[in-house]
């Protein structure tokens, strides 16, 4: 069974840092691009970042560039999102999602809540 | 303000049909695959349609997708109360090198 499970969410002060992890199982992790998508309370889905299966191609939403860093460890079947200089507007549930053949996000985790507040 | 434009809400009676539109441009919908997601309250999004009009296994044929030019449409027939959810379109934008989501449409089954 394909599973992606996020961890690492929590409460952090403005300007602080947090690292989210996504543990994948049930599929050949190294064969798939992976993504983070977030959802602020009561708002819609917002794409955060995507990484190719070999880490050569990494893309970020404009508001995350320079603050967030996406990486993966194919040996550990894991995806990571390092978030620095966090702002109140980064408060959201962060979802890890797998990309399938046509770019669609076919499997999603349950989400990790990140709250940025003093 | 999303680059992909969806109506904020739609509604219809049980058993009826509804369509949700998603409008974009040549750099996104016009040149790339469109996917649709259903998000039930309090849950993670779920893939409904991919490659413009294909359904993953397990998705009933009451759900359909289409694309024409720079717009895409999600159709739902035989509406059920369990279909009440938020629906999002999604595609890649080649000019922005970014994944785009529509603003989302809340479906109410009256």
């Amino acid at each position: 069974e394909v599973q992606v499970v996020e961890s690492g969410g929590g409460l952090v002060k403005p300007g602080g840092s947090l690292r989210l992890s996504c543990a994948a199982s049930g599929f050949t992790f190294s064969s798939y691009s992976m993504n983070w998508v977030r959802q602020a309370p009561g708002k819609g889905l917002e794409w955060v970042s995507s990484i190719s299966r070999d880490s050569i191609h990494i893309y970020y939403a404009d508001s995350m560039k320079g603050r967030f860093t996406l990486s993966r460890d194919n040996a550990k079947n894991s995806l990571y999102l390092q978030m620095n200089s966090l702002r109140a507007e980064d408060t959201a549930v962060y979802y890890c999602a797998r990309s399938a053949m046509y770019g669609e996000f076919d499997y999603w985790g349950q989400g990790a809540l990140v709250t940025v507040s003093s | 303000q999303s680059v992909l434009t969806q109506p904020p809400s739609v509604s219809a009676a049980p058993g009826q049909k509804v369509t949700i539109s998603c409008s974009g441009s040549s750099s996104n919908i016009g040149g790339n695959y469109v996917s649709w997601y259903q998000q039930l309250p309090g849950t993670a999004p779920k893939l409904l349609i991919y490659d413009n009009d294909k359904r993953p296994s397990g998705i009933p044929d009451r759900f359909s997708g289409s694309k024409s030019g720079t717009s895409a449409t999600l159709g739902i027939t035989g509406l059920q109360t369990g279909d009440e959810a938020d629906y999002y379109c999604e595609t890649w934008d080649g000019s922005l090198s970014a994944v785009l989501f529509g603003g989302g449409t809340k479906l109410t089954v009256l």
Side-chain angles (χ1 to χ4, degrees), chain A residues 2 25-26 35 39 41 43 47 51 53 58 61 66 76 86-87 90 100 106 113:
Chain A
V2 172
S25 61
N35 313 272
Q39 186 169 36
K43 302 296 185 182
W47 171 72
I51 186 168
R53 52 190 177 180
I58 304 176
K76 295 183 177 180
L86 284 163
R87 309 163 180 165
D90 294 317
D106 61 346
L113 176 62

Side-chain angles (χ1 to χ4, degrees), chain A residues 35 37 39 43-47 50 59-62 65 95 101-106 108-110, chain B residues 33 35 37 39 43-47 49-51 54 88 90 92 96-103:
Chain A
N35 313 272
V37 176
Q39 186 169 36
K43 302 296 185 182
L45 300 177
E46 180 183 22
W47 171 72
S50 299
Y59 303 96
Y60 300 94
D62 283 347
K65 284 178 184 174
Y95 294 102
M101 180 180 297
Y102 297 95
E104 70 275 18
F105 298 168
D106 61 346
W108 299 64
Q110 83 288 349
Chain B
Y33 303 112
S35 302
Y37 303 87
Q39 187 176 33
T43 69
K46 174 184 175 182
L47 178 65
I49 298 289
Y50 69 97
D51 186 15
K54 294 179 177 54
Y88 297 89
E90 175 264 319
W92 174 257
L96 299 174
S97 291
V99 171
L100 301 178
F101 283 96

Side-chain angles (χ1 to χ4, degrees), chain A residues 7-109:
Chain A
S7 61
L11 175 64
V12 61
K13 289 181 169 52
S17 298
L18 207 60
R19 188 198 199 203
L20 298 182
S21 299
C22 171
S25 61
F27 64 101
T28 305
F29 182 72
S30 58
S31 296
Y32 291 84
S33 294
M34 297 294 296
N35 313 272
W36 289 96
V37 176
R38 72 183 185 182
Q39 186 169 36
K43 302 296 185 182
L45 300 177
E46 180 183 22
W47 171 72
V48 173
S49 183
S50 299
I51 186 168
S52 61
R53 52 190 177 180
D54 53 10
S55 301
I56 290 177
H57 301 287
I58 304 176
Y59 303 96
Y60 300 94
D62 283 347
S63 60
M64 287 71 159
K65 284 178 184 174
R67 300 189 302 125
F68 290 11
T69 301
L70 181 59
S71 62
R72 64 189 296 163
D73 185 336
N74 287 342
K76 295 183 177 180
N77 293 338
S78 294
L79 180 72
Y80 307 103
L81 183 68
Q82 177 67 42
M83 303 184 292
N84 299 330
S85 303
L86 284 163
R87 309 163 180 165
E89 54 265 38
D90 294 317
T91 293
V93 173
Y94 284 72
Y95 294 102
C96 170
R98 188 183 84 166
S99 281
M101 180 180 297
Y102 297 95
E104 70 275 18
F105 298 168
D106 61 346
Y107 286 93
W108 299 64

